[in-house]
Amino acid sequence: MSRTLALASFNSAITLSVCSLTSAASPRFPPLLFSSQRRLSHFNSTPFSHYIKHLPSVLAMDSSKAGPVKELPVGLDEATEEEYASQSKLLQEFTSLSSIDKAWVFKSESGKGSQAMFSISQPNLLANKKRKYMLSSSISKDSNNNVNFQWAPFPVEMTGVSITVPSPSGSKLLVIRDPENESPTQFEIWSSSQLEKEFQIPQSTHGSVYADGWFEGISWNSDESLIAYVAEEPSPCKPSFDCLGYKQGATKDKECTSWKGQGDWEEEWGECYAGKRQPALFVINLNSGKVHAVKGIEKSLSVGQVVWAPPVEGIDQHLVFVGWSADPRKLGIKYCYNRPCALYVVKAPLYKSEAAESDIKSLEELTVVNLTQSISSAFFPRFSPDGKFLVFLSAKTSVDSGAHSATNSLHRIDWPTDGKLSSSTKLIDVIPVVNCAEDGQFPGLYCSSFLSKPWLSDGCTMILSSYWHSCQVILSVNVLSGEGSRISPADSGFSWNILTLDGDNVIAVCSSPVDVPQIKYGCLVDKANNTTGWHWLNISSPIFKYSEKVMSLLSHLQFGILQIQVQDVSDCLTKGAAKSFEAIFVSSKVSDAPDPLIAVLHGGPHSVSLSSFSKSLAFLSSIGFSLLIVNYRGSLGFGEEALQSLPGKIGSQDVKDVLTAIDHVIEKGLVNPSKITVLGGSHGGFLTTHLIGQAPDKFVAAATRNPACNLSSMVGITDIPDWCYVEAYGTNGKTIFTEAPTAEHLTHFYNKSPISHISKVKTPTIFLLGAQDLRVPVSNGLQYARALKERGVETKVILFPNDIHGIERPQSDFESFINIGVWFKKYCK
Ligand SMILES: *[C@@H]1O[C@H](CO)[C@@H](O)[C@H](O)[C@H]1NC(C)=O
Ligand SMILES: *[C@@H]1O[C@H](CO)[C@@H](O)[C@H](O)[C@H]1NC(C)=O
Ligand SMILES: *[C@@H]1O[C@H](CO)[C@@H](O)[C@H](O)[C@H]1NC(C)=O
Ligand SMILES: *[C@@H]1O[C@H](CO)[C@@H](O)[C@H](O)[C@H]1NC(C)=O
Ligand SMILES: *[C@@H]1O[C@H](CO)[C@@H](O)[C@H](O)[C@H]1NC(C)=O
């Protein structure tokens, strides 16, 4: 649920749309990287008696015989094996929980009540994939206004389905199955009873349809005869050679008497997009099955998030889409909202009637119009139900400052009903960027998605989820007046995420670090004193069912959100930077003495750890750790000034904030000061490795996932070298960014990096690394781990050969957290 950002946060409450990955079965216990440890098994070098007390008697007897010693998986010794076994059983119970990815509501035919459909996913450890399935429920209200959800008896698995999109009337369902290898993409149109139509779209027309949650866009037109969508452009023609040399006029087809060269290399959009061709716009005619590429869009523009503009005189004539320019080059875009983008409108390639030809008056009309020239970022376009205005989100502060994510703003364009559009269209501010909010006031807009239909029945109130300090909240915004309010309850510290609307009611999920997700149904009610308010009903559902064991463990936990005062207010250049930040503290209700602590640090740095439920963190708290989840300054959700206080000061301000938060809980007597550990990935790994270098006596163990350890090497190999500049130099870094860093730059990067403190490190550290990571390539973590090992610091490395930056494939995520749990237990005995 949290937005994982540039250097991704590893709070796994997050449901990211994971890029699909081919899953070569990876061994259950991949080899430890330092293969010398393979031979130097702990067992052989430790007196045997040491183990007797840890071992079940049978095992102890077995190994005391003269026979061959039982072979242990690499990286395990007999003492830890037992811990490993017991923890992995518990972790499996946490892992198997499913989550809701999307939901839709359909009005029922009778006009009474409605029907909801939930798209759900669940990790499948054995297959190392996510299972996806659908579960439906009918919603009815009884005479007392009680809301009932009648769930279908079983869910239905959606094997091989990449994406599903219901039509506007709800009478048809588009199901897209994406190709493996070179096979065609399959479009299926389902009615309420059966498959109506099926189309195979060959690779020569386009590659796979984007279903990444960012470029992704699939839009039905008003009469449901056309669908506009975003897919990979077809493979470019490559030079062909045969026994006579270069073959002129060669086709794309394979021939056995010739061979293909590579042609020019093309930039890609970095992390998560390796091997993906440029996103391009297409329209399929469901009557003829013909697919048309949308013409007139500049080659350098990557397109996404397409929607049909309201029909003019009953005809769907225009498409609105987001365009990202590749000028000067494509840089990593995943979690990076600082890539300039604009809304464009383009004439649709075909009208309802093929008589459209005569409507095309001039060539000029065919060109693409840039609707948002006066602003550096515009995305998530949504038309109002009456088609009179277009609302969109902007990350202009992110683009303008260079910070990979920042405070959003919301804007409106009044749409010309005659369809006559121009690039001088006026942009109206609906919600401006909040620089520094008064205490308790709205801290600014931070959205990671919009519903496809976010409107209440008045046609101008939009319902959306946003981050408000450490919580995700639901907001209602009148886009005509700009008035907004928080409609999810504010008191509990829970996080709320919107799933879909049912008329004027909201279906949402709420959770906390110690409360599993629950479905809520929000109704607008009139109160006695003539004001309206939101009332939230509990909906029981079969979706979030945990075992009794897990529920019992969770019931012994509690959480709170702590306000942490900034230490050095004199260093603060803005009012917002001097305001307190937050940390979520999770602890046992029942322990007599303070438990060992894990400080949990999100990535980014412009990301946030939300107070929502995270399976992996709940697992760690269930095995006996308190958690201090720090939203250091620079996190999303606290206003723009606080966020912008960090670039230029990474490795110092953020490190200090974390230490301040830890000292706060120590002073309050909430934790055991001699059993403190730290966990973080990406920028959180940068902080983890900084902390064990800058505060070497503080931490008994550390765990880090794809950490950024050496910016001077990272800058040359990451997909976002500009990140290194902006975070190490501040906004000025955006100006001095170059693909050829000077020796002076490299020295600056080195001095900002954890590697510059390595000589002080003593803390045993485990590294979880993804070999396919383009964001912080694996060499960064490996080189640091080797340097620690050289200095005699205990290290353990697990390398996942097929994982990218967020180590999220089910088996890898599982093996990461089981090892983190065992590692921390070992040093907190
Ligand atoms: C459209 O406007 C945006 C916003 O300023 C700009 O970045 C982009 O280059 C423009 N697009 C074209 C194709 O000129
Ligand atoms: C509420 O407002 C209506 C008119 O809008 C008025 O007739 C009614 O008396 C009001 N009720 C209360 C409790 O103020
Ligand atoms: C209306 O009543 C609610 C409680 O039902 C209260 O919280 C709110 O402040 C009241 N509003 C006004 C304007 O009196
Ligand atoms: C919903 O459930 C919670 C406990 O899980 C309870 O405290 C709350 O009162 C319930 N709300 C309603 C409206 O029944
Ligand atoms: C840090 O990066 C620099 C620049 O690539 C490299 O020369 C140096 O060896 C790296 N040091 C370590 C210990 O990773």
mmCIF file of all heavy atoms in Angstrom, residues 716-740:
data_model
loop_
_atom_site.group_PDB
_atom_site.id
_atom_site.type_symbol
_atom_site.label_atom_id
_atom_site.label_comp_id
_atom_site.label_asym_id
_atom_site.label_seq_id
_atom_site.Cartn_x
_atom_site.Cartn_y
_atom_site.Cartn_z
ATOM 1 N N GLY A 716 27.893 5.516 -11.882
ATOM 2 C CA GLY A 716 28.263 5.088 -13.237
ATOM 3 C C GLY A 716 27.474 3.890 -13.737
ATOM 4 O O GLY A 716 27.556 3.562 -14.923
ATOM 5 N N ILE A 717 26.732 3.232 -12.859
ATOM 6 C CA ILE A 717 26.097 1.988 -13.285
ATOM 7 C C ILE A 717 24.597 1.928 -13.036
ATOM 8 O O ILE A 717 23.912 1.058 -13.563
ATOM 9 C CB ILE A 717 26.778 0.767 -12.607
ATOM 10 C CG1 ILE A 717 26.872 0.971 -11.090
ATOM 11 C CG2 ILE A 717 28.161 0.530 -13.187
ATOM 12 C CD1 ILE A 717 27.494 -0.191 -10.339
ATOM 13 N N THR A 718 24.049 2.860 -12.249
ATOM 14 C CA THR A 718 22.622 2.832 -11.956
ATOM 15 C C THR A 718 21.813 3.370 -13.142
ATOM 16 O O THR A 718 22.357 4.089 -13.990
ATOM 17 C CB THR A 718 22.303 3.677 -10.699
ATOM 18 O OG1 THR A 718 20.897 3.766 -10.529
ATOM 19 C CG2 THR A 718 22.854 5.092 -10.829
ATOM 20 N N ASP A 719 20.510 3.053 -13.144
ATOM 21 C CA ASP A 719 19.629 3.628 -14.176
ATOM 22 C C ASP A 719 19.228 5.065 -13.829
ATOM 23 O O ASP A 719 18.581 5.730 -14.621
ATOM 24 C CB ASP A 719 18.379 2.754 -14.375
ATOM 25 C CG ASP A 719 17.489 2.680 -13.140
ATOM 26 O OD1 ASP A 719 18.005 2.840 -12.009
ATOM 27 O OD2 ASP A 719 16.275 2.457 -13.290
ATOM 28 N N ILE A 720 19.570 5.538 -12.614
ATOM 29 C CA ILE A 720 19.212 6.922 -12.235
ATOM 30 C C ILE A 720 20.420 7.688 -11.679
ATOM 31 O O ILE A 720 20.428 8.111 -10.524
ATOM 32 C CB ILE A 720 18.041 6.956 -11.228
ATOM 33 C CG1 ILE A 720 18.311 6.042 -10.008
ATOM 34 C CG2 ILE A 720 16.737 6.538 -11.882
ATOM 35 C CD1 ILE A 720 17.334 6.290 -8.837
ATOM 36 N N PRO A 721 21.453 7.892 -12.541
ATOM 37 C CA PRO A 721 22.624 8.639 -12.045
ATOM 38 C C PRO A 721 22.249 10.037 -11.531
ATOM 39 O O PRO A 721 22.906 10.564 -10.640
ATOM 40 C CB PRO A 721 23.533 8.727 -13.272
ATOM 41 C CG PRO A 721 22.663 8.423 -14.446
ATOM 42 C CD PRO A 721 21.586 7.524 -13.951
ATOM 43 N N ASP A 722 21.178 10.618 -12.071
ATOM 44 C CA ASP A 722 20.753 11.948 -11.616
ATOM 45 C C ASP A 722 20.333 11.919 -10.147
ATOM 46 O O ASP A 722 20.466 12.910 -9.436
ATOM 47 C CB ASP A 722 19.609 12.477 -12.490
ATOM 48 C CG ASP A 722 18.370 11.596 -12.446
ATOM 49 O OD1 ASP A 722 18.514 10.354 -12.386
ATOM 50 O OD2 ASP A 722 17.247 12.136 -12.443
ATOM 51 N N TRP A 723 19.856 10.766 -9.683
ATOM 52 C CA TRP A 723 19.486 10.618 -8.263
ATOM 53 C C TRP A 723 20.702 10.884 -7.380
ATOM 54 O O TRP A 723 20.624 11.591 -6.371
ATOM 55 C CB TRP A 723 18.930 9.205 -8.029
ATOM 56 C CG TRP A 723 18.550 8.896 -6.611
ATOM 57 C CD1 TRP A 723 17.313 9.025 -6.053
ATOM 58 C CD2 TRP A 723 19.404 8.396 -5.562
ATOM 59 N NE1 TRP A 723 17.344 8.647 -4.738
ATOM 60 C CE2 TRP A 723 18.608 8.256 -4.404
ATOM 61 C CE3 TRP A 723 20.755 8.062 -5.484
ATOM 62 C CZ2 TRP A 723 19.122 7.789 -3.187
ATOM 63 C CZ3 TRP A 723 21.274 7.602 -4.280
ATOM 64 C CH2 TRP A 723 20.458 7.474 -3.145
ATOM 65 N N CYS A 724 21.851 10.308 -7.775
ATOM 66 C CA CYS A 724 23.070 10.484 -6.971
ATOM 67 C C CYS A 724 23.404 11.969 -6.861
ATOM 68 O O CYS A 724 23.776 12.452 -5.787
ATOM 69 C CB CYS A 724 24.244 9.736 -7.601
ATOM 70 S SG CYS A 724 23.988 7.953 -7.713
ATOM 71 N N TYR A 725 23.263 12.691 -7.981
ATOM 72 C CA TYR A 725 23.575 14.125 -7.971
ATOM 73 C C TYR A 725 22.622 14.912 -7.081
ATOM 74 O O TYR A 725 23.042 15.706 -6.248
ATOM 75 C CB TYR A 725 23.556 14.678 -9.409
ATOM 76 C CG TYR A 725 24.873 14.464 -10.115
ATOM 77 C CD1 TYR A 725 25.134 13.277 -10.802
ATOM 78 C CD2 TYR A 725 25.868 15.440 -10.065
ATOM 79 C CE1 TYR A 725 26.356 13.074 -11.441
ATOM 80 C CE2 TYR A 725 27.091 15.246 -10.695
ATOM 81 C CZ TYR A 725 27.327 14.059 -11.375
ATOM 82 O OH TYR A 725 28.538 13.870 -11.982
ATOM 83 N N VAL A 726 21.309 14.682 -7.274
ATOM 84 C CA VAL A 726 20.338 15.486 -6.520
ATOM 85 C C VAL A 726 20.420 15.174 -5.026
ATOM 86 O O VAL A 726 20.406 16.076 -4.188
ATOM 87 C CB VAL A 726 18.906 15.258 -7.072
ATOM 88 C CG1 VAL A 726 17.875 15.888 -6.143
ATOM 89 C CG2 VAL A 726 18.790 15.824 -8.474
ATOM 90 N N GLU A 727 20.542 13.909 -4.680
ATOM 91 C CA GLU A 727 20.559 13.571 -3.259
ATOM 92 C C GLU A 727 21.879 13.964 -2.589
ATOM 93 O O GLU A 727 21.906 14.297 -1.416
ATOM 94 C CB GLU A 727 20.259 12.080 -3.046
ATOM 95 C CG GLU A 727 18.845 11.660 -3.497
ATOM 96 C CD GLU A 727 17.698 12.413 -2.799
ATOM 97 O OE1 GLU A 727 17.902 12.950 -1.690
ATOM 98 O OE2 GLU A 727 16.597 12.476 -3.385
ATOM 99 N N ALA A 728 22.973 13.932 -3.347
ATOM 100 C CA ALA A 728 24.267 14.260 -2.740
ATOM 101 C C ALA A 728 24.576 15.759 -2.767
ATOM 102 O O ALA A 728 25.327 16.262 -1.929
ATOM 103 C CB ALA A 728 25.390 13.485 -3.427
ATOM 104 N N TYR A 729 24.001 16.491 -3.752
ATOM 105 C CA TYR A 729 24.296 17.923 -3.863
ATOM 106 C C TYR A 729 23.096 18.816 -3.556
ATOM 107 O O TYR A 729 23.224 20.026 -3.508
ATOM 108 C CB TYR A 729 24.765 18.262 -5.284
ATOM 109 C CG TYR A 729 26.203 17.889 -5.586
ATOM 110 C CD1 TYR A 729 26.506 16.691 -6.224
ATOM 111 C CD2 TYR A 729 27.249 18.753 -5.251
ATOM 112 C CE1 TYR A 729 27.814 16.340 -6.525
ATOM 113 C CE2 TYR A 729 28.568 18.411 -5.553
ATOM 114 C CZ TYR A 729 28.846 17.207 -6.186
ATOM 115 O OH TYR A 729 30.146 16.888 -6.475
ATOM 116 N N GLY A 730 21.890 18.242 -3.451
ATOM 117 C CA GLY A 730 20.700 19.077 -3.344
ATOM 118 C C GLY A 730 20.206 19.438 -4.736
ATOM 119 O O GLY A 730 20.718 18.920 -5.735
ATOM 120 N N THR A 731 19.229 20.348 -4.792
ATOM 121 C CA THR A 731 18.596 20.656 -6.083
ATOM 122 C C THR A 731 19.605 21.131 -7.132
ATOM 123 O O THR A 731 19.438 20.886 -8.322
ATOM 124 C CB THR A 731 17.483 21.700 -5.867
ATOM 125 O OG1 THR A 731 16.432 21.028 -5.179
ATOM 126 C CG2 THR A 731 16.942 22.237 -7.164
ATOM 127 N N ASN A 732 20.685 21.748 -6.683
ATOM 128 C CA ASN A 732 21.741 22.160 -7.610
ATOM 129 C C ASN A 732 22.310 20.963 -8.381
ATOM 130 O O ASN A 732 22.805 21.097 -9.499
ATOM 131 C CB ASN A 732 22.846 22.880 -6.828
ATOM 132 C CG ASN A 732 23.905 23.444 -7.748
ATOM 133 O OD1 ASN A 732 23.581 23.898 -8.841
ATOM 134 N ND2 ASN A 732 25.159 23.386 -7.326
ATOM 135 N N GLY A 733 22.198 19.789 -7.790
ATOM 136 C CA GLY A 733 22.685 18.558 -8.429
ATOM 137 C C GLY A 733 21.993 18.307 -9.754
ATOM 138 O O GLY A 733 22.562 17.686 -10.658
ATOM 139 N N LYS A 734 20.760 18.810 -9.892
ATOM 140 C CA LYS A 734 20.017 18.650 -11.129
ATOM 141 C C LYS A 734 20.725 19.396 -12.258
ATOM 142 O O LYS A 734 20.776 18.941 -13.394
ATOM 143 C CB LYS A 734 18.612 19.216 -10.911
ATOM 144 C CG LYS A 734 17.642 18.932 -12.002
ATOM 145 C CD LYS A 734 16.240 19.418 -11.598
ATOM 146 C CE LYS A 734 15.300 19.229 -12.752
ATOM 147 N NZ LYS A 734 14.958 20.420 -13.470
ATOM 148 N N THR A 735 21.295 20.546 -11.919
ATOM 149 C CA THR A 735 21.991 21.366 -12.907
ATOM 150 C C THR A 735 23.364 20.790 -13.248
ATOM 151 O O THR A 735 23.757 20.782 -14.407
ATOM 152 C CB THR A 735 22.190 22.802 -12.360
ATOM 153 O OG1 THR A 735 21.039 23.121 -11.581
ATOM 154 C CG2 THR A 735 22.388 23.786 -13.463
ATOM 155 N N ILE A 736 24.071 20.311 -12.240
ATOM 156 C CA ILE A 736 25.447 19.864 -12.532
ATOM 157 C C ILE A 736 25.505 18.415 -12.985
ATOM 158 O O ILE A 736 26.556 17.928 -13.375
ATOM 159 C CB ILE A 736 26.400 20.082 -11.321
ATOM 160 C CG1 ILE A 736 25.934 19.277 -10.106
ATOM 161 C CG2 ILE A 736 26.532 21.544 -10.984
ATOM 162 C CD1 ILE A 736 26.932 19.325 -8.959
ATOM 163 N N PHE A 737 24.347 17.721 -12.982
ATOM 164 C CA PHE A 737 24.335 16.313 -13.400
ATOM 165 C C PHE A 737 24.959 16.139 -14.776
ATOM 166 O O PHE A 737 24.649 16.851 -15.717
ATOM 167 C CB PHE A 737 22.891 15.780 -13.409
ATOM 168 C CG PHE A 737 22.717 14.507 -14.189
ATOM 169 C CD1 PHE A 737 23.503 13.387 -13.913
ATOM 170 C CD2 PHE A 737 21.781 14.414 -15.213
ATOM 171 C CE1 PHE A 737 23.360 12.213 -14.639
ATOM 172 C CE2 PHE A 737 21.619 13.242 -15.942
ATOM 173 C CZ PHE A 737 22.414 12.139 -15.659
ATOM 174 N N THR A 738 25.870 15.194 -14.868
ATOM 175 C CA THR A 738 26.493 14.862 -16.144
ATOM 176 C C THR A 738 26.710 13.358 -16.212
ATOM 177 O O THR A 738 26.831 12.699 -15.185
ATOM 178 C CB THR A 738 27.841 15.600 -16.318
ATOM 179 O OG1 THR A 738 28.603 14.924 -17.326
ATOM 180 C CG2 THR A 738 28.662 15.619 -15.040
ATOM 181 N N GLU A 739 26.740 12.855 -17.444
ATOM 182 C CA GLU A 739 27.010 11.421 -17.641
ATOM 183 C C GLU A 739 28.500 11.127 -17.448
ATOM 184 O O GLU A 739 28.906 9.969 -17.441
ATOM 185 C CB GLU A 739 26.584 10.983 -19.047
ATOM 186 C CG GLU A 739 25.120 11.253 -19.375
ATOM 187 C CD GLU A 739 24.146 10.204 -18.837
ATOM 188 O OE1 GLU A 739 24.592 9.243 -18.176
ATOM 189 O OE2 GLU A 739 22.930 10.370 -19.071
ATOM 190 N N ALA A 740 29.301 12.179 -17.317
ATOM 191 C CA ALA A 740 30.740 11.987 -17.132
ATOM 192 C C ALA A 740 31.185 12.684 -15.846
ATOM 193 O O ALA A 740 31.721 13.791 -15.880
ATOM 194 C CB ALA A 740 31.499 12.557 -18.334
#
